[in-house]
Amino acid sequence: MRIILLGAPGCGKGTQAAKICEKYDVPHISTGDIFRENIKNQTELGIKVKAIMDSGNLCPDDVTCELVKDRLSKPDCVNGYLLDGFPRNLFQATELEKFAAPDVVIDIQVNLDKIEKRITGRRSCPVCGGSFHIDFIGNTSICPTCGGELVIRKDDTPEVIKERLSVYASYTEPLIKYYADKGVIKVVDGDGSIDYVFEQICNILG
Ligand code: AMP
């Protein structure tokens, strides 16, 4: 099954993506994670996108589409995958159609008033890629999954969150109509608990 997860920054995409991939045994392809890995390893791509990511803007379409096309051509993707953070605009969505149209697009909808609190309380693990909220893990700096040192992502500050939300509204939100017109969108209420959101997703995926 080829799944796309849509939703505003902080809607819980990463958390749900991990649970979906475990249950349905598909690879989790997060463009944000791929970019962050490149930044960590100081690759040419990482150096190119670091300032863009830190500002909350989108990385160039050509680089992003190429990267996804290459990743989807790997053998582990033959039976499906979950795309998290891609596509992010109409150009990327139409590019994706050329090599891999999705079977289902799940849009996690959250109350935008709650997003800032969700993101500013987020702690991320650069080692395993996990992301946790201080409401659940408390004030620890140790990753509960792998023991790595938790950090606050550079783009999880209030100023950058504002920019990311504005980018989302301008460029990513139009994808909801784009996929609705194709008849593949399914909307999920993202304002409840992790289990509540996951249950709705499982009802869709079967
Ligand atoms: P995320 O982890 O999905 O919130 O993405 C973090 C950042 O990575 C975004 O704010 C963008 O700068 C960049 N990024 C991730 N996915 C894409 C994409 N599909 N197109 C362009 N930039 C992206």
Side-chain angles (χ1 to χ4, degrees):
M1 197 164 7
R2 301 191 283 210
I3 310 163
I4 291 177
L5 262 194
L6 272 186
C11 74
K13 280 196 303 294
T15 304
Q16 295 299 329
K19 289 174 79 69
I20 295 167
C21 291
E22 192 189 351
K23 174 161 179 172
Y24 293 94
D25 197 22
V26 285
H28 176 191
I29 299 167
S30 155
T31 38
D33 282 352
I34 298 173
F35 285 133
R36 278 184 289 277
E37 190 63 20
N38 275 275
I39 291 174
K40 191 168 95 185
N41 296 329
Q42 299 191 325
T43 66
E44 204 178 314
L45 173 65
I47 291 163
K48 185 171 174 178
V49 299
K50 184 175 185 320
I52 302 173
M53 282 184 72
D54 286 352
S55 71
N57 286 297
L58 294 180
C59 302
D61 282 335
D62 55 345
V63 182
T64 310
C65 291
E66 206 43 51
L67 191 144
V68 172
K69 190 173 179 182
D70 177 63
R71 180 64 188 86
L72 297 188
S73 70
K74 299 280 187 276
D76 64 333
C77 292
V78 288
N79 292 323
Y81 43 78
L82 181 138
L83 280 171
D84 162 11
F86 184 94
R88 252 343 203 259
N89 58 27
L90 286 169
F91 178 83
Q92 294 181 4
T94 45
E95 281 302 295
L96 181 65
E97 290 292 313
K98 294 179 191 165
F99 53 90
D103 299 310
V104 59
V105 178
I106 297 173
D107 178 35
I108 306 181
Q109 295 205 334
V110 283
N111 182 338
L112 289 186
D113 297 342
K114 292 186 186 155
I115 292 253
E116 186 164 335
K117 178 175 182 287
R118 279 192 180 209
I119 305 188
T120 48
R122 182 152 78 177
R123 300 292 177 266
S124 305
C125 177
V127 181
C128 71
S131 132
F132 312 89
H133 198 279
I134 51 173
D135 281 355
F136 296 108
I137 59 164
N139 220 0
T140 178
S141 60
I142 308 293
C143 172
T145 304
C146 75
E149 175 132 14
L150 296 173
V151 297
I152 299 176
R153 266 167 54 175
K154 277 228 168 76
D155 58 351
D156 276 352
T157 58
E159 310 77 59
V160 182
I161 291 164
K162 242 181 225 128
E163 181 61 21
R164 289 167 67 200
L165 287 173
S166 143
V167 166
Y168 173 77
S170 305
Y171 300 105
T172 312
E173 217 165 36
L175 294 181
I176 298 172
K177 180 171 184 321
Y178 174 85
Y179 285 121
D181 289 347
K182 291 190 178 295
V184 289
I185 197 108
K186 299 282 180 195
V187 174
V188 159
D189 170 13
D191 276 325
S193 68
I194 292 173
D195 287 345
Y196 165 69
V197 179
F198 188 53
E199 196 186 314
Q200 296 172 71
I201 294 175
C202 293
N203 287 340
I204 291 166
L205 298 178

